[in-house]
């Protein structure tokens, strides 16, 4: 069980880093390399940006639950 939670935590962490980098930055930067410039041509808050926000929040919740579950499983 510990191994399964640890793998889920690693996957959620990597996905969270990727999703945060995909967000549109205020001053450009790293997010433009991964598609921030592409979505800016569509205007303000597009469907893609809203879905990216939702996916980021869901991934954050999964990450948080994995941290709590791992802490409870490893508690002596």
């Amino acid at each position: 069980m510990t191994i399964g939670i640890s793998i889920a935590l690693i996957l959620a962490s990597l996905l969270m880093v990727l999703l945060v980098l995909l967000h549109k930055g205020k001053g450009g930067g790293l997010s433009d390399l991964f598609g921030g410039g592409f979505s800016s041509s569509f205007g303000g808050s597009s469907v893609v940006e809203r879905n990216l926000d939702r996916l980021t929040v869901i991934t954050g919740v999964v990450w948080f639950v994995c941290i709590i579950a791992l802490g409870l499983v490893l508690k002596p």
Side-chain angles (χ1 to χ4, degrees), residues 45-71:
S45 137
S46 67
V47 175
V48 175
E49 289 180 26
R50 280 184 271 147
N51 288 336
L52 184 61
D53 289 342
R54 289 179 187 141
L55 190 58
T56 305
V57 169
I58 290 169
T59 305
V61 169
V62 168
W63 182 82
F64 183 72
V65 168
C66 286
I67 291 287
I68 298 297
L70 199 58

Side-chain angles (χ1 to χ4, degrees), residues 22-46:
L22 282 174
H23 275 87
K24 181 179 175 186
K26 293 187 189 242
L30 222 59
S31 65
D32 286 339
L33 292 174
F34 296 104
F38 176 73
S39 64
S40 66
S41 64
F42 292 115
S45 137
S46 67

Side-chain angles (χ1 to χ4, degrees), residues 1-43:
M1 183 148 166
T2 304
I3 294 173
I5 296 172
S6 296
I7 290 172
L9 178 64
I10 291 169
L11 291 176
S13 299
L14 292 175
L15 185 60
M16 181 68 88
V17 168
L18 178 70
L19 290 172
V20 167
L21 287 175
L22 282 174
H23 275 87
K24 181 179 175 186
K26 293 187 189 242
L30 222 59
S31 65
D32 286 339
L33 292 174
F34 296 104
F38 176 73
S39 64
S40 66
S41 64
F42 292 115

